[in-house]
Amino acid sequence: MQKIAVLGLGKVGTLAAELLHASGFTVLGIDVIPRGDLPVPVQTLDLTHTDAVETLFAEQDAVLSCLPFHLNISLAEAAHRTGIAYFDLTEDVPTTNRIIALSKSANRLMAPQCGLAPGFIGIVGASLIARLDDCRSCKMRVGALPQHPTGLMGYSFNWSPEGVVNEYLNDCEVIEEGERKMISPMEWIEDIYIDGMKLEAFTTSGGLGTMCDTYHGQVANIDYKTMRYPGHAKLMNFFFHELLMRERREEAGAILVNAKPPVDDDIVYVHASAEGTLDGVLRRFEFVRGYRPLEVAGKRRTAISWTTAGSVVAVIEMVRDGKLPATGFLKQEDIALSDFLATPTGGLYAA
């Protein structure tokens, strides 16, 4: 796997293209806007033209979509038809289910959910579960936040508004007391402290990826929550449900971004824990980090940009180097954390 097209050159896509180029891949950037400021060639493409998309894909070994989740099914189907490997960052469950179905007849790898959550958090959670003889619970939390919040909401939209709205409104899969079930988003609110910082965590959709399928019958309790500054969930429930903005998702995203635009000084909190027995003794293992902006590929990158782009690039490096399968469907929990951290890009997360 040498030639890869990166679709969507926002902050995450741009960094992914640069990291892949630095790692030795032959990269082609794809965007609706011409770009001349990257170390890789960039081509404009209308993704509604199926024939043009498949012609371009046929010249590649793989494609990475850094586009909004609603575009990914058609791109995955085009990758499947042209016989190339497919990667994306989606948190959307129906999109992933469609890619799982495609993977059953694919002759190359289909790997959605390779970002931060789902993605890196699943790799971490699986590594904690594996340390125990018998795991009774695994809890995974991620929060992408401004370092210096203002206002009641305490938030800035450094991530896709479509993705955030999707996570806040779609039902969430969990395993509770051994039962696999769907629960409502923005519930099960709890307090979490990281380095003395008080945060709240609440259920959101998609962050577990395929972990409920993998661990059903093995781990009695698994759930994923998003972390925010205290009071955020109450305001979002008011906005979406009392004001009925849940019925106007696109408009809701536009309102929220207009009110809380992106910031440069962000932080990504990762908090994962697993409890169970080891050698007959009850133990709890944790992985807790606060990732801040870094200089990556010669430029300062926001925390959410490098943690998301770096995760998928590390996975692609592992596939190229034979550390992961080249065919079928890739579950993030099947990726060894030690192997991930040993890649040139995955090493960013080791601090």
Side-chain angles (χ1 to χ4, degrees):
M1 191 172 71
Q2 176 63 33
K3 296 186 294 183
I4 183 167
V6 178
L7 278 63
L9 299 176
K11 289 183 179 180
V12 172
T14 292
L15 179 54
E18 292 174 328
L19 288 172
L20 288 166
H21 172 73
S23 190
F25 288 88
T26 301
V27 182
L28 174 64
I30 303 295
D31 204 88
V32 293
I33 301 173
R35 297 279 298 273
D37 58 336
L38 296 179
V40 302
V42 176
Q43 181 176 327
T44 58
L45 181 68
D46 184 346
L47 296 177
T48 64
H49 291 173
T50 303
D51 291 344
V53 170
E54 291 189 12
T55 297
L56 184 143
F57 282 12
E59 298 173 350
Q60 306 297 317
D61 300 319
V63 60
L64 163 60
S65 173
C66 298
L67 294 165
F69 72 89
H70 68 266
L71 298 172
N72 284 337
I73 288 180
S74 63
L75 295 172
E77 290 173 340
H80 178 266
R81 286 192 296 269
T82 52
I84 66 172
Y86 173 83
F87 302 86
D88 73 28
L89 310 168
T90 191
E91 80 293 331
D92 186 62
V93 175
T95 297
T96 299
N97 288 340
R98 175 56 182 154
I99 296 171
I100 290 173
L102 289 171
S103 70
K104 294 176 181 177
S105 59
N107 56 15
R108 295 295 297 274
L109 187 68
M110 306 295 285
Q113 304 183 321
C114 292
L116 177 62
F120 179 65
I121 190 62
I123 299 171
V124 170
S127 75
L128 298 179
I129 293 171
R131 294 176 65 181
L132 295 162
D133 296 329
D134 181 43
C135 182
R136 70 181 185 182
S137 71
C138 181
K139 300 179 181 296
M140 287 157 282
R141 285 85 175 97
V142 173
L145 296 165
Q147 291 185 41
H148 315 292
T150 60
L152 296 176
M153 192 183 301
Y155 191 64
S156 294
F157 276 81
N158 277 34
W159 183 244
S160 158
E162 292 176 286
V164 173
V165 171
N166 199 42
E167 292 173 349
Y168 281 15
L169 293 180
N170 290 354
D171 286 345
C172 316
E173 188 174 22
V174 302
I175 300 176
E176 185 182 27
E177 298 301 325
E179 181 182 350
R180 192 173 171 182
K181 60 177 68 173
M182 302 299 291
I183 63 171
S184 297
M186 291 193 289
E187 295 189 358
W188 290 14
I189 299 174
E190 65 178 342
D191 291 338
I192 291 180
Y193 291 84
I194 300 179
D195 292 334
M197 174 67 69
K198 183 179 180 180
L199 302 169
E200 67 180 19
F202 50 87
T203 53
T204 52
S205 175
L208 286 180
T210 55
M211 292 190 76
C212 288
D213 180 62
T214 298
Y215 291 107
H216 186 219
Q218 300 180 48
V219 180
N221 297 278
I222 292 181
D223 62 63
Y224 170 82
K225 297 181 183 180
T226 288
M227 293 186 288
R228 297 288 186 254
Y229 293 114
H232 183 93
K234 182 178 180 179
L235 289 170
M236 288 294 93
N237 271 303
F238 172 79
F239 177 72
F240 283 116
H241 299 297
E242 196 155 331
L243 299 185
L244 302 181
M245 292 306 297
R246 66 179 183 271
E247 300 171 2
R248 299 150 66 183
R249 293 192 179 200
E250 185 174 348
E251 185 178 354
I255 289 171
L256 291 169
V257 172
N258 183 63
K260 296 293 179 181
V263 296
D264 291 331
D265 292 325
D266 64 335
I267 186 166
V268 168
Y269 288 112
V270 175
H271 190 297
S273 64
E275 294 181 356
T277 56
L278 177 63
D279 297 328
V281 179
L282 187 61
R283 298 289 305 274
R284 174 183 172 91
F285 294 117
E286 294 181 336
F287 181 101
V288 182
R289 300 287 190 278
Y291 294 117
R292 298 174 183 270
L294 288 178
E295 182 170 314
V296 182
K299 298 178 184 176
R300 186 178 187 272
R301 315 288 179 160
T302 61
I304 187 61
S305 294
W306 77 255
T307 54
T308 303
S311 183
V312 68
V313 169
V315 171
I316 294 170
E317 289 171 341
M318 293 173 70
V319 174
R320 176 195 60 188
D321 297 340
K323 298 287 187 180
L324 291 173
T327 60
F329 180 81
L330 178 65
K331 292 182 177 182
Q332 298 300 303
E333 57 269 25
D334 289 340
I335 301 171
L337 179 60
S338 58
D339 289 344
F340 178 96
L341 297 176
T343 64
T345 304
L348 293 170
Y349 300 79

